[in-house]
Amino acid sequence: PAELERLQNKLLELRKQGKLFIQNGDVGYSSAPSNIALLKYWGKETNREQIPLNSSLSYTIGGFRSFTKVTALGRFLPNEEKTVSYFKNKLFLDENSKENKLPPKMDRLIRSILFPFADEISIEINSHNNFPTACGIASSASGYAALVGAIADLLQLEKHFSKLELLFWLSEWARLGSGSATRSVFTSEEESFVKWEAPILNKNKFTNTSSVKFHPKWRQLQHSVFILNSSEKQTSSSDGHKYAQTSPLNIIRTSGISHKLKLLQKALLEFDFECVQSLTEEDAYSMHAVMQTGEPKACYLTNEVSNLIGLFIQLRNEYDVKAFWTLDAGPNIHILYMPEAKIMLQKFHEISQTMIEREIKILTNSFNEGLLIGKNS
Ligand code: DP6
């Protein structure tokens, strides 16, 4: 995209001026939060890179993070002929000494950022999450956000760009890695709700990521995920996005989203809890309806999950507390709630386990830190 070319040219220029300098062994660090979408991103345009079919809005879950270190490999000798032919990016996960296969999308992203150093510098990535994989928390969101944050640190981009410019590039790069990652690059608690706007037909060509204003009462919001199934998904989200358009319901879902986005932002600003609750729950149902009616079909909203959601709603009414549920592309139930709902959630946990006759693990978000860049991240 033209925007990215503009950045590449800027980086190239900085390098020519001797201002952008990387040496073998230089390092960059970052850590980034995951997020849970209230209005979901589901489906992308077919022939364009990482352009969503609909806008989305998420809540940052700062306690579930990826921690990433990147190390420059190769060398950069500004006045010498190119002598290094070796170029391979490497990925190590979970403090594991075994090298992981680098996803082609990740490799393309790194090469496009490090374009001014093409064929001279590659990077080694060491990354781990503080939450288990396949637990219903999006590791691609935190993972790609932390990766681009660490590369920005390696290149010391904060010296050359304003905070706002840097945020823009980070959100663009993260988007190319994983759509939901574009919503994980904001830094402060004031930016806990983030929207990613899809291009409006015939109006604008680009997506736009920004934080949305919210009522201070939302600072008390808590998030827990009830893990019903921790095995790897059969269909990855990236594949799932391709099938969204095969569902006849998709057009109905996506055409209603821009109106819902407006309503959701208003409800966040006014602390209209019931409105946020009904928009979020309705969108989870409608995304799963798209999944269940596309080809191939994916059914995460199983009878078991539906029964538990039914129980949750019953208990919420009984205890009269503020709490709502959502599901990502998986069977694990995310609950967002105000602190007074904790007792009701304990009850929900107890009865759920009896109902499904197995243990349900719960992971709870403990703090709301955004993206951090640098050694202390
Ligand atoms: C259901 O961001 O994982 O979690 O862009 O292909 O990497 P890619 O997909 P990804 O999709 C997330 C889908 C979702 C909803 C959401 O987070 O908005």
Side-chain angles (χ1 to χ4, degrees):
E3 285 296 302
L4 288 170
E5 254 169 53
R6 189 159 70 81
L7 176 66
Q8 286 180 331
N9 289 337
K10 177 96 197 249
L11 293 180
L12 202 58
E13 204 178 298
L14 284 170
R15 190 199 160 175
K16 278 187 194 147
Q17 293 166 356
K19 291 180 185 162
L20 207 60
F21 195 83
I22 320 180
Q23 275 181 317
N24 191 18
D26 280 356
V27 286
Y29 297 90
S30 177
S31 82
S34 185
N35 65 70
I36 176 76
L38 310 185
L39 284 185
K40 312 284 182 188
Y41 144 53
W42 196 244
K44 19 187 165 188
E45 286 190 11
T46 338
N47 294 319
R48 294 173 66 197
E49 215 175 348
Q50 294 289 91
I51 301 288
L53 291 178
N54 67 270
S55 301
S56 56
L57 191 151
S58 63
Y59 172 66
T60 304
I61 39 182
F64 299 135
R65 307 179 71 80
S66 297
F67 297 83
T68 300
K69 174 185 173 192
V70 295
T71 310
L73 307 170
R75 60 188 184 138
F76 167 39
L77 300 170
N79 302 319
E80 264 185 29
E81 287 291 300
K82 274 188 198 167
T83 49
V84 182
S85 57
Y86 178 75
F87 185 95
K88 185 176 177 283
N89 295 310
K90 297 176 172 186
L91 174 67
F92 294 87
L93 293 173
D94 301 324
E95 284 150 5
N96 199 334
S97 55
K98 217 173 106 237
E99 190 178 340
N100 286 73
K101 202 174 168 309
L102 194 84
K105 195 161 68 163
M106 190 178 284
D107 195 48
R108 271 206 309 280
L109 172 69
I110 298 167
R111 284 171 191 258
S112 98
I113 305 176
L114 293 179
F115 159 81
F117 302 96
D119 299 329
E120 291 168 41
I121 288 286
S122 56
I123 55 170
E124 177 181 307
I125 306 160
N126 289 272
S127 186
H128 71 274
N129 302 331
N130 65 357
F131 54 90
T133 26
C135 68
I137 297 165
S139 59
S140 63
S142 54
Y144 274 101
L147 173 63
V148 298
I151 299 177
D153 189 36
L154 175 73
L155 295 172
Q156 303 202 341
L157 291 188
E158 76 282 358
K159 286 189 186 156
H160 308 290
F161 294 95
S162 71
K163 265 195 162 159
L164 219 66
E165 273 176 319
L166 188 57
L167 182 71
F168 175 75
W169 296 125
L170 290 177
S171 67
E172 275 296 286
W173 284 335
R175 171 179 71 83
L176 293 177
S178 182
S180 50
T182 193
R183 301 184 309 236
S184 275
V185 297
F186 289 80
T187 50
S188 77
E189 213 185 316
E190 297 311 306
E191 300 163 310
S192 293
F193 292 94
V194 178
K195 69 175 167 178
W196 179 31
E197 289 170 285
I200 300 168
L201 220 55
N202 303 328
K203 259 195 164 175
N204 57 347
K205 286 196 249 112
F206 299 108
T207 69
N208 183 39
T209 311
S210 58
S211 62
V212 305
K213 291 208 174 72
F214 59 90
H215 193 285
K217 278 194 193 156
W218 290 110
R219 289 206 195 111
Q220 293 173 41
L221 193 69
Q222 319 261 306
H223 166 267
S224 297
V225 55
F226 285 65
I227 303 168
L228 303 190
N229 187 337
S230 57
S231 49
E232 290 281 348
K233 285 188 279 192
Q234 280 164 354
T235 318
S236 71
S237 292
S238 292
D239 282 339
H241 287 291
K242 289 187 212 146
Y243 313 137
Q245 294 195 73
T246 63
S247 159
L249 300 183
N250 191 53
I251 185 88
I252 302 170
R253 174 174 182 269
T254 52
S255 60
I257 293 268
S258 49
H259 180 58
K260 285 183 185 159
L261 183 64
K262 280 194 197 121
L263 294 180
L264 184 55
Q265 288 180 91
K266 187 165 175 283
L268 286 172
L269 205 53
E270 293 170 355
F271 195 69
D272 184 346
F273 200 95
E274 281 67 33
C275 182
V276 173
Q277 170 185 311
S278 70
L279 288 165
T280 305
E281 294 180 353
E282 202 265 349
D283 192 53
Y285 273 135
S286 83
M287 178 182 76
H288 282 273
V290 167
M291 289 173 173
Q292 288 173 13
T293 49
E295 207 48 64
K297 300 182 188 348
C299 183
Y300 299 113
L301 195 54
T302 55
N303 286 345
E304 186 172 274
V305 176
S306 284
N307 291 341
L308 293 187
I309 290 172
L311 170 70
F312 171 81
I313 293 172
Q314 186 196 322
L315 290 172
R316 171 171 72 196
N317 292 341
E318 238 170 71
Y319 283 72
D320 191 20
V321 286
K322 291 186 166 41
F324 56 90
W325 64 271
T326 187
L327 294 176
D328 255 353
N332 301 308
I333 306 178
H334 292 256
I335 309 281
L336 293 115
Y337 54 98
M338 296 307 271
E340 82 255 11
K342 274 188 190 150
I343 296 172
M344 173 287 232
L345 286 177
Q346 269 167 15
K347 195 85 201 155
F348 173 61
H349 188 212
E350 273 166 40
I351 308 180
S352 308
Q353 295 192 114
T354 327
M355 251 167 88
I356 69 170
E357 296 175 346
R358 48 174 212 277
E359 195 199 343
I360 299 177
K361 284 214 171 67
I362 310 177
L363 290 177
T364 297
N365 177 38
S366 49
F367 63 89
N368 259 358
E369 196 98 71
L371 178 94
L372 296 171
I373 289 182
K375 193 148 178 43
N376 297 324
S377 55

